[in-house]
Structures are given as C-alpha cells and as structure tokens.
Amino acid sequence: MGIFDGRRIVLGVTGGIAAYKAVEVCRRLVDAGAHVSPILTKGAEKFIGRATFDALASEKVQTSLWEEEHPIPHTNLGQKADLILVCPATARLLSDYRTGRSADLLTATLLATRAPVIVCPAMHTEMWEQPSVQENIKELIQRGVEIVGPEEGRLAGGDDGAGRLSDPVSIVAAVERVLNSGLNSQIQDFAGLQVLVSAGGTKEPICPVRYIGNRSSGKQGHAIAIEAATRGAVVTCVTTEPSQSPQHPHLRVVAVETADEMAQAVFSQAAKSDLVIMAAAVADFTPVTKSDKKIKKSEEGLEIHLEPTVDILASLGSSHNGKQILVGFAAETNDLEENAKKKLNTKGVDLIVANDVSEANVGFNHDTNAAVLFDSTGRRTELPLADKRHIAQAILDIALKLRVDKHREIGETQ
Ligand code: CTP
C-alpha cells in the first residue's frame, strides 16, 4: 500500500533545465501508489524526452490539445485529477496561469480543474526576482495555489542564487500534505455533526434607501461553512450575503440583513447545533427609528440615534450547553491579542479567532486571512497569511479537537 494509492495526479512539466528532476518526482509519486498523468509542454520536450515519462508514469505523455485520443484532453485530465503538480514551472507558465491564458494543454488543464494545484517554480535568479514574476506568484498564492520553492543553489550555466527547483523529496512531501489536507480529501470527520455558521456584515436600515453597514464580505464565514459541509457536517449558514454563499447538498443558507434578524435565525438553530461559529460582523448599534420614507436632503444635517443590538455571541456563551463548541471572531485594529483574550472570557466562548483587520490582505473583503487563535484551555495558535479556505480548515481542526477533549472530560467526570 502506498500513501498515494488511488490518487490521480497530473504532472505538468515545463521547459527549464530542472525538467530532468521531474523524472524523479514522477517515479516517487508512482512508487507511492499515485496514478500519474504526465503533460509536457513544447519547451519541456527540448530538455527531456517523452520516452522517459512514457516508461515511468502511469499513462503515456500528452503534449497537445489536438493530437490526443480523447477529444477534450484538458477537461478529461482536469476533472479527474485529485491534484495538479507543475514541476518545474517557468516564468511563462506562471504568467499564463495567473492571467487565465489557455496557451497549451497544460495551461488549459489548469483552467479546467477544481483540484488543488502545486507549482514549483525554477528559473534564473534575475527572472525569479523580476517584479512581474513576484506579482504573479503573490497572486497565485492568494488564489490558494501552493508554491513550493524555489531554493538557493547552483543554477544552469554555473550561476548560483535563488531559483533552483526544490528537491524532489520536498516536492513529494508537499503533494502528500495537500492531498491529506481537508481541502480535497475524503475526510469526513464532521459526519453526524450539526454546524451553525454566521457570515457577512449586518445592514441596519436608516430608511428604505440607506443603511449602516460594515466592510465584511462573508468570505471567511462561507469558507468555514463549505469546509464543514465537505467534511460531512450538516451546516446552516446564516448570512447577509446569500448570493455569494457556496452551495453544497448539506449546506442550508438562511438569508438575513439586520443584527436582529441574524439573532433570531441563530437563536432558533443554536440549541441543536454541535458547533456554533460566529464569523459575522454584527453591528453593535442600530438606528432607534427607521424612516419608512426616503430621508430627504436638508441644510440642517442629520442626527441618527442609535441603540445597542443584542450581542448574539455573548448571549449564546452565557447559556450554551456544556457539550457545544462556541467559536467567536475578534476583528481588531489594535492590541489584537489583549482584546481577543478579553473577548474569549467576556463572551464565554471556547475559541476566539482574532484578526488584525488593518493589516494588508487580512480580514474584510480579502481572499486571504491571517489570525491568532486563543482557546479556553489557554492554547495560542498562529495562522500565517493563507487563503480563507485554509484558514477555515485550521479553525475547524482546532474546534473539533476542543470538542473531542470536552466530551472526553465530561465522560470522565460522569
Ligand atoms: N458579535 C455578536 N453580536 C454582536 C456583536 C458581535 O454575536 N452584536 C460577535 C461577532 O460575530 C464576533 C464577536 O462577537 O464573533 C466579536 O465581534 P467584534 O465585532 O470583534 O467585537 P464586539 O463584540 O462587537 O466588540 P468591539 O466592537 O467593541 O470590538
């Protein structure tokens, strides 16, 4: 039995001197049980022969959109893949992939897949350090592509520097990590659990036209909802952004707008939920009176009186049953850790996910996030910048562990 038994990996090889190392990567993947479908670009064929991959991989090399047996080889490969590995990746490949340019069979396959993608760049230092190349890398990371390497070391032509392809052992280790992560694996560790997630920013109406809102996009809450559903949970997602919510047979979307509507929806579901995750940015105040007609412009200015909304999370925290896991968020612009720890206690939650929303690429409306997590046992976990689905995955891992520990504790004291 190999660690990759039954997993289908498309191995894309582009034209760089490091292409010869893809041979060893291919052999290691096949030895570990993977079904490897190799794609060579025209450039790759200048460096390495088809016959080598034909002999080592699980099927014959494919190179073109037009000459293969299957009439639409890119969708066939892209849809069946559990993972696509591009090794090595040239600057051209990074640029085409970033801009969505379907230039050949490999780039078309990258466009035609929902599988996770690992890209291993290799090129000369000058090319690697070009701002255009670095921008492409940054953008791909933000979209959730895993970048492995490059490393410092000897390059073609006797040069030394950054740009050398990572060694095959590290590349295969990255494949194992990505395949085993909850993102695309068949792990069903939330099977049998009911999960309630809130997402988005509430909108507090002033009049039929205007509202008081905040910058939350709902992306982090939605990522948690789909991750939990993928891992087997029955999920209710109470969201102010229902049109942006992902879809899944086990995911029920409840559309709300105001803090009050969110409170009603959450309270009606909370008691039967094993985990409640309040990722929504709930308004702390709402206008005392809402005009039923559009408020007209006037010279005197406008005063709006606000009253506090119900703190949904604190209310759940003061009343939830001992077995439920309650997760809150803390959106901060200063004194992140201190404020987060305070919220962990005052809101009575098991886990608080704190993010500094003033930092670049973190929090509101970004596809990426970074967070520090504090749990009620005093543990602190740092999640570095990653796409929101990866952050969701880590939050759920920790929440599930807290649940297991809590249930064990309850079992021991009974
Ligand atoms: N929250 C809630 N109900 C509210 C306000 C916040 O359930 N009326 C929840 C949020 O969903 C989040 C947590 O409480 O999980 C913290 O929200 P945050 O906006 O960071 O803090 P606040 O409690 O609003 O406090 P402050 O604005 O003073 O930082």
Side-chain angles (χ1 to χ4, degrees):
M1 290 275 288
I3 49 169
F4 298 142
D5 271 351
R7 311 314 294 269
R8 297 185 76 97
I9 298 173
V10 170
L11 172 63
V13 185
T14 66
I17 186 70
Y20 76 94
K21 289 196 200 163
V23 174
E24 190 184 340
V25 171
C26 178
R27 188 186 58 75
R28 284 177 180 271
L29 295 174
V30 171
D31 284 354
H35 179 103
V36 178
S37 312
I39 300 178
L40 264 59
T41 62
K42 279 207 171 69
E45 283 192 89
K46 306 257 183 222
F47 289 92
I48 189 103
R50 279 183 188 220
T52 315
F53 286 99
D54 279 347
L56 284 175
S58 317
E59 54 185 65
K60 279 176 98 58
V61 167
Q62 301 192 48
T63 56
S64 159
L65 276 160
W66 311 110
E67 288 153 24
E68 310 302 337
E69 274 167 33
H70 199 282
I72 35 174
H74 56 304
T75 51
N76 183 42
L77 286 162
Q79 287 170 354
K80 281 198 207 146
D82 290 309
L83 181 135
I84 299 188
L85 171 66
V86 185
C87 166
T90 55
R92 185 211 37 100
L93 181 283
L94 299 174
S95 169
D96 284 351
Y97 186 24
R98 183 211 170 154
T99 52
R101 183 164 176 264
S102 165
D104 53 19
L105 178 58
L106 178 56
T107 42
T109 305
L110 285 166
L111 288 179
T113 194
R114 293 210 170 94
V117 174
I118 300 180
V119 168
C120 312
M123 62 200 75
H124 254 73
T125 311
E126 294 82 350
M127 293 173 80
W128 173 246
E129 289 177 352
Q130 274 299 323
S132 54
V133 172
Q134 287 303 309
E135 274 168 28
N136 290 339
I137 287 285
K138 207 168 138 219
E139 179 60 33
L140 291 174
I141 290 173
Q142 289 198 0
R143 291 183 199 162
V145 174
E146 176 101 8
I147 307 289
V148 178
E151 290 170 8
E152 299 246 346
R154 253 192 55 214
L155 303 168
D159 289 338
D160 242 292
R164 186 180 161 87
L165 184 75
S166 282
D167 71 283
V169 175
S170 313
I171 293 170
V172 173
V175 170
E176 185 183 355
R177 183 161 35 80
V178 171
L179 280 178
N180 287 342
S181 76
L183 278 183
N184 194 48
S185 73
Q186 303 305 311
I187 301 171
Q188 292 290 293
D189 51 354
F190 277 73
L193 298 180
Q194 301 257 359
V195 174
L196 174 60
V197 184
S198 70
T202 62
K203 299 179 174 78
E204 308 302 319
I206 300 167
C207 71
V209 177
R210 304 177 185 92
Y211 62 81
I212 298 175
N214 61 67
R215 295 181 194 279
S216 170
S217 61
K219 285 178 182 170
Q220 186 62 76
H222 292 163
I224 293 171
I226 188 67
E227 178 68 16
T230 309
R231 286 163 69 167
V234 172
V235 181
T236 302
C237 181
V238 178
T239 176
T240 61
E241 304 293 337
S243 65
Q244 304 300 316
S245 172
Q247 294 185 358
H248 188 281
H250 295 155
L251 172 58
R252 187 169 73 93
V253 177
V254 179
V256 294
E257 264 191 27
T258 64
D260 188 45
E261 287 169 11
M262 182 164 278
Q264 306 296 331
V266 168
F267 292 150
S268 76
Q269 290 294 317
K272 55 179 174 209
S273 302
D274 300 292
L275 286 96
V276 181
I277 302 170
M278 282 294 298
V282 188
D284 291 330
F285 301 97
T286 192
V288 176
T289 52
K290 285 119 184 136
S291 167
D292 53 9
K293 292 202 183 70
K294 184 183 175 198
I295 299 172
K296 300 302 281 181
K297 197 164 28 194
S298 84
E299 294 296 311
E300 294 122 52
L302 176 67
E303 266 184 27
I304 301 171
H305 290 278
L306 303 174
E307 61 186 357
T309 57
V310 55
D311 190 322
I312 307 169
L313 186 62
S315 165
L316 293 175
S318 64
S319 62
H320 78 308
N321 71 52
K323 288 185 174 177
Q324 188 178 65
I325 293 294
L326 195 52
V327 181
F329 273 65
E332 308 292 344
T333 54
N334 52 283
D335 305 318
L336 178 79
E337 305 216 356
E338 198 184 317
N339 285 332
K341 282 190 209 152
K342 219 182 271 169
K343 280 180 190 164
L344 179 75
N345 293 323
T346 55
K347 305 228 180 198
V349 297
D350 300 283
L351 180 66
I352 200 104
V353 180
N355 35 41
D356 184 341
V357 288
S358 65
E359 266 193 25
N361 300 323
V362 172
F364 296 148
N365 215 2
H366 294 294
D367 291 326
T368 50
N369 207 355
V372 190
L373 278 58
F374 298 96
D375 70 31
S376 49
T377 68
R379 233 183 333 244
R380 175 188 186 283
T381 311
E382 205 161 326
L383 304 179
L385 191 68
D387 71 273
K388 285 188 169 167
R389 186 78 187 263
H390 279 99
I391 299 285
Q393 189 189 332
I395 293 168
L396 288 178
D397 286 346
I398 294 173
L400 191 62
K401 187 165 183 318
L402 284 171
R403 181 182 141 82
V404 171
D405 291 348
K406 207 173 197 181
H407 280 237
R408 189 176 301 133
E409 235 172 69
I410 293 169
E412 278 166 8
T413 55
Q414 274 173 356

